[in-house]
Amino acid sequence: MSWNSDESGNAVASGGEVKHGGAVGSEKKGNAMWMEDNSGEGVQCWNFDITGGKGMWVGVGTQENFGSGYKLKGLMYGGPGNLSDGGALVTGHWGPKFGEGDKIGMRIEISGDRTTLAFSKNGVGLGVAYDISGWTGSPLRPVVSLDSADQSVVISSMAVCSLETMAPASGPPAGVAGSWQHDKEQKCQLSIEAEEAGQWRVGAKVGNSMSCIVTENSGVFSAGPVMSTMMMPPPELQTLETSVEQLLSGITNIAREGDKLVVTAGDRSEKFCVAPGSTPATKDRVRWMNK
């Protein structure tokens, strides 16, 4: 068992560890595939120990779709918590971001023409990311994709685990971090991720995706500039999107009220409930599987 690094030299492997080689610029990506004999039908589980950096991608791919840069195609999870096929976004904000100190569990199950791929973070299930039916290609093997000099990952095999161990926890999260949905406007979803002590990244999705950094100091909350994608939302969502952007830019408090999240901006308060979990990506959303 060993890593097979791409020809770029940007992924440097030693034993179970693979790290970025330090390149910068447009050709900085480094990819590696974990080679072992028992790929194929059945259940296999691995752990990715993130030993350096953040924003890398982990997942599975086939040997014929492996290469340097964006030649790597697969079923991937990483970056800001997205799912990707290696060349295009599959699902945005599917799960939490991960970085140094985190352990990402991965479980693949292959039975005939059906493949499921599930992930966990630090022992907490995130759910099934991909549920692929109608595909019977080459064996899927663990892959990583790195693009920053501080990134490094150590892979190890895990005992075969049940799919239930990868299921996300039910009920609301313990604090304010998590995925939330407006009590009345189901088309407004909010995501909150802890950045560091006293600081969160607050994102919202209506027509566009928006986000800002919110800082708490001695009980006082303040929001930084709101960044947004620049697509024109459908006419029926324009008023709601403007309202949500105003809410984010004016945040003065974020708190829990029972199972609800309450976001306050001056004299305005909005309540959110736990958002339904992300659904698995299917074959039709993975471009390289449909060629």
Side-chain angles (χ1 to χ4, degrees), residues 3-281:
W3 286 109
N4 176 31
S5 299
D6 67 31
E7 66 273 19
S8 70
N10 297 336
V12 180
S14 177
E17 181 183 48
V18 59
K19 60 184 179 180
H20 192 268
V24 295
S26 60
E27 304 296 326
K28 63 183 178 180
K29 287 179 69 69
N31 305 320
M33 173 174 282
W34 183 246
M35 307 299 293
E36 55 185 53
D37 295 332
N38 58 344
S39 297
E41 288 266 333
V43 178
Q44 291 178 275
C45 302
W46 298 271
N47 180 72
F48 295 98
D49 189 353
I50 312 303
T51 52
K54 60 182 179 180
M56 64 283 290
W57 295 81
V58 301
V60 294
T62 63
Q63 284 186 268
E64 61 261 37
N65 284 302
F66 178 74
S68 60
Y70 290 99
K71 294 177 185 177
L72 170 63
K73 301 295 184 288
L75 306 176
M76 312 288 288
Y77 164 49
N82 295 345
L83 301 182
S84 169
D85 65 6
L89 177 70
V90 173
T91 303
H93 299 289
W94 176 83
K97 295 185 293 185
F98 57 86
E100 185 173 354
D102 289 325
K103 296 181 183 295
I104 302 300
M106 183 175 74
R107 178 190 189 274
I108 189 170
E109 181 171 359
I110 301 172
S111 178
D113 69 349
R114 186 182 182 196
T115 298
T116 59
L117 187 67
F119 292 95
S120 65
K121 178 183 176 183
N122 299 330
V124 178
L126 300 177
V128 175
Y130 298 89
D131 190 342
I132 307 296
S133 294
W135 183 82
T136 53
S138 301
L140 291 163
R141 304 175 185 276
V143 292
V144 298
S145 184
L146 313 174
D147 63 4
S148 176
D150 59 348
Q151 293 174 343
S152 58
V153 178
V154 176
I155 193 173
S156 58
S157 294
M158 293 170 54
V160 172
C161 55
S162 67
L163 189 57
E164 288 72 22
T165 63
M166 294 289 184
S170 59
V176 300
S179 297
W180 304 89
Q181 180 175 280
H182 195 277
D183 252 3
K184 298 177 181 178
E185 294 285 355
Q186 293 188 356
K187 293 183 178 179
C188 173
Q189 294 196 340
L190 199 71
S191 65
I192 301 181
E193 292 183 276
E195 292 284 303
E196 55 187 61
Q199 191 175 90
W200 297 266
R201 180 175 295 276
V202 180
K205 178 75 167 68
V206 184
N208 284 285
S209 295
M210 300 167 271
S211 69
C212 65
I213 296 295
V214 174
T215 303
E216 183 268 332
N217 188 8
S218 301
V220 178
F221 287 74
S222 58
V226 176
M227 309 298 289
S228 175
T229 55
M230 301 301 290
M231 296 184 296
M232 178 65 71
E236 67 273 15
L237 294 181
Q238 290 179 10
T239 299
L240 175 60
E241 183 162 293
T242 299
S243 175
V244 172
E245 185 172 5
Q246 291 171 347
L247 177 68
L248 262 61
S249 63
I251 287 175
T252 53
N253 193 41
I254 303 174
R256 286 290 298 275
E257 189 176 282
D259 289 349
K260 306 287 187 180
L261 178 80
V262 181
V263 179
T264 303
D267 58 1
R268 175 188 176 188
S269 289
E270 301 288 349
K271 289 187 177 181
F272 295 80
C273 58
V274 176
S278 298
T279 57

